[in-house]
Amino acid sequence: VQLQASGGGLVQAGGSLRLSCAASGRTFSRYAMGWFRQAPGKERELVAAISRRGYSTKYEDSVKGRFTISRDNAKSTVYLQMNSLKPEETAVYYCAADSDWGTSFTPDYWGQGTQVTVSS
């Protein structure tokens, strides 16, 4: 499956952004989807994930209550709504697809990443 992320940009601290990731090539609904981020000098980390039909979600602790992951299987798109953004959340955000939904999210496919910069 090919993944194309978009929606990144520059935002002030406390602001909001909505990331989108459009999928093509295989049946989107067969995959759990996730968003990762990687800040300079840091490891890539899972921010949020959503099950194949969207019934289950999981979030990294620091984003709970501020970020919302959702998906539209009819549009083969997954979203990440990010509110109350913090400067330390400046990173490249990647979408990813996992053919399994379990205790860990292990991507089979990655998108190209979109830069999110939060200014203080």
Side-chain angles (χ1 to χ4, degrees), residues 18-32:
R18 187 194 196 203
L19 306 182
S20 299
C21 176
S24 62
R26 290 180 183 259
T27 304
F28 179 70
S29 60
R30 291 181 179 177
Y31 296 90

Side-chain angles (χ1 to χ4, degrees), residues 1 26-33 52 96-102 104-109:
V1 61
R26 290 180 183 259
T27 304
F28 179 70
S29 60
R30 291 181 179 177
Y31 296 90
M33 298 298 297
R52 295 181 185 91
D98 186 350
S99 58
D100 192 18
W101 177 255
S104 64
F105 189 94
T106 307
D108 297 296
Y109 301 97

